Amino acid sequence: MNCKKAHKEIIFYLEGDLLPVKEKEIEAHLKQCPDCMAFAEDLKLSLGFISKLPEIEVNPFFYTRLKARIENLGQVNVSPMWERFFVVLRPVFFSILLAVGIFSGIKIGQTTTDYNTSYSSSQVEPVPYLNELGMESLESFLME
């Protein structure tokens, strides 16, 4: 038996849930393999700690309450009409708000770039963005 198979069956061996043939195979492997023996000892210690924990008492009405809750899951709760209306209205409102925001952003962007339209075509430089000093008097004043 290899270590991988032994590791899968050691817990059953410690709890006494294996067939006698498998038990003998595990015992033989544990005698040969010190790593698996150490693993079995650690697992035995862990199971010992777990067995010392106090048992939790189950409430006798737990099953009854659980069964009632499961049965209630099948029932449909009818919500008032105004709640269903707001469930539909909320995404519509946010969609309209988003569209208005995008539209107003486009309009604001167009009004800030319209300063070139006041000049005639002979006054506007071919590349106005490369020479912004002619449009901003404060910067040109400070440069001089």
Side-chain angles (χ1 to χ4, degrees), residues 99-114:
V100 167
I102 291 172
F103 179 74
S104 62
I106 291 171
K107 286 298 181 186
I108 290 172
Q110 287 176 349
T111 58
T112 58
T113 58
D114 285 343

Side-chain angles (χ1 to χ4, degrees), residues 5-90:
K5 286 183 181 178
H7 277 241
K8 289 181 181 179
E9 296 183 2
I10 284 177
I11 191 161
F12 299 115
Y13 168 75
L14 293 174
E15 290 180 347
D17 292 339
L18 286 179
L19 297 174
V21 175
K22 287 282 188 179
E23 257 185 47
K24 290 180 183 176
E25 288 179 18
I26 294 288
E27 286 174 358
H29 180 77
L30 290 177
K31 289 179 184 175
Q32 296 174 16
C33 183
D35 291 336
C36 289
M37 185 64 165
F39 177 72
E41 290 298 322
D42 288 342
L43 195 57
K44 189 175 184 179
L45 274 172
S46 299
L47 290 174
F49 287 130
I50 291 172
S51 66
K52 291 178 184 176
L53 291 174
E55 294 215 11
I56 299 173
E57 293 182 28
V58 179
N59 189 341
F61 300 107
F62 174 75
Y63 177 72
T64 308
R65 288 194 318 254
L66 181 65
K67 185 178 176 187
R69 191 177 261 184
I70 290 173
E71 288 173 355
N72 288 337
L73 285 177
Q75 296 176 356
V76 177
N77 293 334
V78 179
S79 60
M81 182 64 179
W82 61 272
E83 283 183 7
R84 286 184 272 162
F85 179 70
F86 283 125
V87 168
V88 173
L89 186 64
R90 192 177 306 154

